[in-house]
Amino acid sequence: MIKELQDLDHRLTRRAAERIPPAAGGLLSALEASAQHSKLWCGTALLLATAQGRRGRKAAAAGMAALAVAQLLSNAVCKQLADRPRPPRHWFAHDKVNDRPDSSSFPSGHTAAAVAFTAAIAPVAPLAGALCTLPAGLVAVERVHSGAHYPSDVLAGAVIGVISAGLVHGAARAVRGRLELLMHHGRVSVSGVCGRLL
C-alpha cells in the first residue's frame, strides 16, 4: 500500500512538471515570489486591517497568528523530523528546479502558511477568505510544478494549515470564554475587552 502511494505521488509530480504550459508556469512562479517570506499574506492582512475596521483587524490578527503557528509546525518541527529529499532534478525541464532550498521536502511550508492564513480569516471575513482560496491553491500547485515538493508534501502542508487555523480560533475562544467568566463575576469591568482583543 505504501509503495503504491509513493508511486502515485511520483507520477503526479512528473505530470505537474510536464503538463503545465510555460505561460502558466511563469504565472505560478510570479505568484510564488509574492508569497515568498509570506509577503502576499502580510500584505493581505495589512489591507484587511486598514480597510475593514474592527472585523478586518480581527481577521488579520487571526490570519497572521495561524500563519506563524503553521510555519513553526512545518519548518521547526516536521521538517526536522522528516528528512525527505526533494524530487529528482531530472524530472523537470525548467530552470526553476535549480532555485529550491536544501531543507526537507516534507511538508510544504509555503502551502501550510497559505492555507493557515486563508482558513483563519475565512470565519471572520468570509469574502476575503474566499478570495484568498485561489492564490493559496495556486501556491500549492506551484510548489509541485517547480520541483520543490511532492503532492504529499503539499497535502501535509495544507493539513498543518487547517490545524493551525483551528488552534488559533480555539485559543481565542478559550481566552474569550475566560474573560467573559471573569466579567460575569465582576473581576473584569472593561466593557467590550473581548471584542477588541479577539
Side-chain angles (χ1 to χ4, degrees), residues 25 64 80 177 198:
M64 294 309 297
Q80 309 308 315
L198 304 172

Side-chain angles (χ1 to χ4, degrees), residues 84-145:
R84 185 184 194 185
R86 303 277 175 172
R89 292 179 186 271
H90 66 268
W91 288 3
F92 305 88
H94 52 71
D95 294 334
K96 182 70 175 173
V97 71
N98 297 318
D99 184 26
R100 60 185 189 176
D102 296 325
S103 57
S104 173
S105 178
F106 184 91
S108 168
H110 282 72
T111 305
V115 172
F117 182 84
T118 302
I121 68 171
V124 186
L127 178 58
L131 291 174
C132 285
T133 300
L134 179 60
L138 290 176
V139 164
V141 171
E142 189 279 338
R143 301 314 288 158
V144 179
H145 173 259

Side-chain angles (χ1 to χ4, degrees), residues 149-169:
H149 293 285
Y150 293 98
S152 58
D153 302 329
V154 167
L155 178 61
V159 170
I160 290 171
V162 171
I163 290 172
S164 299
L167 288 173
V168 166
H169 282 291

